Amino acid sequence: MPGAGPGTQTRPNLKIQEGCGNRCTFCVIPTTRGASRSLTAEKVMVQARGFIAAGGKELVISGINLGRWGRDLKENRSLASLVREILNETDLPRLRLSSIEPMDWTPELIALVGDFGGGRLARHAHLPLQSGSDGVLRRMHRRYRPWHYGQKVAALIDAAGPELAVGADVMAGFPGETEAEFRETYELIASLPFSYLHLFPFSPRPGTRGWEMHKLSPVPPQIVSERMSALRDLATEKSRRFRASFVGRTLPAITLHSPATLTAQGRTLALSDNYLPLELTQELPANQLVDVRVTEINAGGVLVCAMDSMTEKMAVAS
Ligand code: SF4
């Protein structure tokens, strides 16, 4: 598994888990990558300490099925215990968790988002949804029902507040998806406080049960494309509403490597702890943790920000 160092990447990804023991009917990973395997806690801590020593500020931990981290180790560890160990035993300024399956958001992990969110833990939870229809989820062999998903999101918002970025992967056109099933997905998404969605049309993978299902009951491409378009509009509107709610407010962020066109205008790209793309009206090096004040939302939906005065002083003094 690769190591993590800041290097040219401001937010490196430390992959701490490989493979997956689930059997989602659309997915080839269980056959191509095998069962879940975890990097030991000792190795994760060595990597995290190396990242900090090299000047890293925000570390993203990831895995194919990150929430399963530690279950295969002889100590039978949980991801929550590892996150707590990293936060308690290192000076890592900010940790971000990548995608975690809905049912792996345990009460312990959710409590950590409440304890450290907005400080050293990014207020960002990505829970793959795939479908909001009970019938489709069953055919996908997903391990949760739509109401379980809603309960996890509600618990996360309860713990971390409405500033939490909640994101999901959603698939349109799974074999046999009826109009009524699609509406269930649409309505569930409309009812939940998503800040962004990653949308995919179903794509049949040879060797999967989904491939066989697709041969028997494919959703016509035109219908898939209409459903994708409806979801895209919904996602755009939810994302815009979430972003707009931060105009006039202060957000913690990390500066990123900016394209030359932006630096030529004396501007800097940044990412807020709650996963919002930002544009700072000031030129700053990458990998700086800053507090920024959002002044407006531009036509492209990017939040334009000024440095918060307190942080600016600190940055000048350091
Ligand atoms: S979709 Fe994710 S959880 Fe399901 S089998 Fe593939 S890797 Fe595992």
Side-chain angles (χ1 to χ4, degrees):
M1 293 181 188
T8 54
Q9 218 188 337
T10 315
R11 302 164 49 251
N13 210 303
L14 175 59
K15 193 172 185 184
I16 65 171
Q17 183 277 341
E18 193 33 287
C20 182
N22 291 352
R23 288 287 176 271
C24 302
T25 52
F26 54 81
C27 182
V28 290
I29 282 176
T31 35
T32 56
R33 309 257 189 116
S36 176
R37 289 143 359 247
S38 308
L39 198 63
T40 64
E42 292 72 25
K43 286 184 178 157
V44 176
M45 294 304 283
V46 166
Q47 296 273 4
R49 290 197 171 100
F51 170 77
I52 300 161
K57 300 281 169 49
E58 180 177 308
L59 181 63
V60 184
I61 54 173
S62 70
I64 293 289
N65 191 346
L66 178 61
R68 293 277 107 185
W69 179 88
R71 309 294 172 98
D72 59 304
L73 297 174
K74 62 178 185 310
E75 313 86 84
N76 188 22
R77 291 281 304 268
S78 68
L79 179 64
S81 74
L82 177 72
V83 170
R84 197 170 280 284
E85 187 175 337
I86 296 171
L87 293 171
N88 286 340
E89 296 188 14
T90 75
D91 296 327
L92 180 67
R94 185 165 300 144
L95 180 66
R96 188 180 299 269
L97 305 173
S98 63
S99 179
I100 295 175
E101 286 291 317
M103 299 319 284
D104 288 333
W105 282 99
T106 59
E108 294 74 26
L109 196 53
I110 293 172
L112 278 171
V113 181
D115 292 348
F116 292 94
R120 294 174 62 215
L121 190 58
R123 290 171 297 180
H124 179 185
H126 186 99
L127 303 72
L129 170 64
Q130 308 305 358
S131 173
S133 155
D134 187 15
V136 174
L137 287 173
R138 286 176 194 274
R139 299 205 292 281
M140 287 176 164
H141 273 193
R142 300 286 290 167
R143 296 181 161 184
Y144 52 89
R145 309 276 65 89
W147 51 93
H148 294 137
Y149 191 96
Q151 285 162 0
K152 292 291 179 184
V153 171
L156 277 159
I157 298 281
D158 239 27
E163 294 82 9
L164 180 80
V166 180
D169 307 315
V170 179
M171 191 181 286
F174 188 77
E177 182 186 66
T178 63
E179 189 57 33
E181 287 172 336
F182 173 70
R183 288 312 305 174
E184 287 171 9
T185 298
Y186 188 94
E187 297 303 336
L188 182 72
I189 292 170
S191 72
L192 292 174
F194 289 113
S195 59
Y196 68 93
L197 294 176
H198 294 158
L199 304 171
F200 306 90
F202 169 74
S203 160
R205 309 282 164 161
T208 62
R209 290 196 50 205
W211 170 270
E212 300 299 328
M213 293 174 176
H214 178 68
K215 281 201 288 193
L216 293 173
S217 47
V219 178
Q222 177 59 28
I223 295 200
V224 176
S225 135
E226 285 165 17
R227 290 177 185 172
M228 283 292 290
S229 165
L231 290 175
R232 247 191 315 268
D233 289 349
L234 181 61
T236 303
E237 176 50 24
K238 291 185 90 69
S239 172
R240 192 205 56 76
R241 216 178 308 147
F242 183 71
R243 291 173 193 211
S245 71
F246 292 97
V247 175
R249 298 170 67 181
T250 297
L251 285 170
I254 184 164
T255 56
L256 306 174
H257 293 282
S258 306
T261 46
L262 211 60
T263 47
Q265 301 168 44
R267 294 186 169 221
T268 307
L269 281 185
L271 184 75
S272 72
D273 84 305
N274 62 348
Y275 209 53
L276 293 169
L278 309 173
E279 200 175 291
L280 266 129
T281 54
Q282 183 170 335
E283 206 178 331
L284 284 177
N287 195 37
Q288 308 294 304
L289 288 179
V290 289
D291 282 347
V292 298
R293 195 165 28 79
V294 182
T295 54
E296 60 169 317
I297 181 164
N298 73 16
V302 175
L303 294 176
V304 179
C305 304
M307 286 281 277
D308 179 86
S309 54
M310 280 292 292
T311 318
E312 195 169 5
K313 273 186 227 143
M314 285 163 58
V316 170
S318 64

